[in-house]
Amino acid sequence: MPVPSNDVIPVDVAENLVVRIDPGPRDFAVLREVVRKGSRVGNERLDADEHLNEVIPKPWGLEYRVFVDDFLDVWNLRIEEGHATSLHVHPRKLTYLLCLGGQGVARTLSAEYPVGVGTLLRIGGGAFHSTRSLGPGPLFLVEVEAPRNKFDLIRLRDGYSRENSGYESEHRELAELPVRPVPYLPEARMRDRSPCGGFRFEIRAGMDIFYRPRPEDLFHIPLGLTGVVTGELGILAPARGDNRRPAVDEYYLSLALATTA
């Protein structure tokens, strides 16, 4: 749905589970201006830039890769209470934000959206956005990016003075939880859990999801190319009561709460 100007969007706005944030005239005007002033986006090298497979410290928390192949890139963000990402834009890629835990608010140039467990935001390329953790505790998000390009980033405003800077090169090794190849998916690598131990990540067949629904499941992200090409990934959100049937011939990246069983 289109973004109204200067409005606060109620929690139940997503009639079809997904809150759509599309760029508008104001986004285009601001993007033109920052590019005119010299802001540039970069290009990730698929077989290089290995630091992206480690933990990336942020002034607001941290982020790390959950899954990557040549087309999709999935990241887990931990935003500490009271902190926020920059107001930034991805001109060339589509982004989905999925909330696994915590409370926050996502802001654009003209609106605000409440963020809580099960929230699913679809952010079109060119739409400026920022996310703040309201607490108590951290806000845990998963960011799905298509097509893959971590350096497709322009920061407009930032509470940590990173305006007009590119994506971070600082990183730290996560030796106990490395990114591992997925043998049956071309060029795919993933982690199977979060460092905090609160979330589990698993590749499952659509038929398995259909016949074995689990109460701890939060989201299922399809890993096929159709959504990348069409710009509609078709993410399933059982945490929001989504009862759509998964494609039985598709693989999904399932995001779930960790259980002690």
Side-chain angles (χ1 to χ4, degrees), residues 114-132:
V115 174
V117 177
T119 297
L120 175 54
L121 305 178
R122 179 193 183 277
I123 304 172
F128 285 86
H129 58 282
S130 172
T131 311
R132 176 174 294 276

Side-chain angles (χ1 to χ4, degrees), residues 30-42 153-155 163-166:
V30 172
L31 182 57
R32 282 194 300 268
E33 182 65 12
V34 295
V35 170
R36 186 186 67 80
K37 290 181 177 179
S39 293
R40 301 187 66 188
V41 294
L153 168 70
I154 294 176
R155 295 186 176 107
E163 293 90 346
N164 300 316
S165 64

Side-chain angles (χ1 to χ4, degrees), residues 205-221:
M207 186 165 295
D208 180 54
I209 293 171
F210 179 72
Y211 284 109
R212 284 199 314 132
R214 304 180 304 199
E216 65 269 24
D217 287 341
L218 298 173
F219 297 97
H220 304 299
I221 304 167

Side-chain angles (χ1 to χ4, degrees), residues 83-154:
H83 290 263
T85 68
S86 63
L87 181 63
H88 63 278
V89 66
H90 310 296
R92 300 185 297 193
K93 68 185 176 187
L94 170 68
T95 302
Y96 283 81
L97 286 181
L98 290 55
C99 183
L100 305 184
Q103 295 289 326
V105 60
R107 294 188 171 98
T108 68
L109 294 177
S110 57
E112 295 184 354
Y113 302 82
V115 174
V117 177
T119 297
L120 175 54
L121 305 178
R122 179 193 183 277
I123 304 172
F128 285 86
H129 58 282
S130 172
T131 311
R132 176 174 294 276
S133 174
L134 298 179
L139 177 65
F140 293 97
L141 301 174
V142 160
E143 184 176 64
V144 185
E145 304 170 358
R148 168 188 173 185
N149 184 5
K150 201 61 182 173
F151 302 144
D152 179 27
L153 168 70
I154 294 176

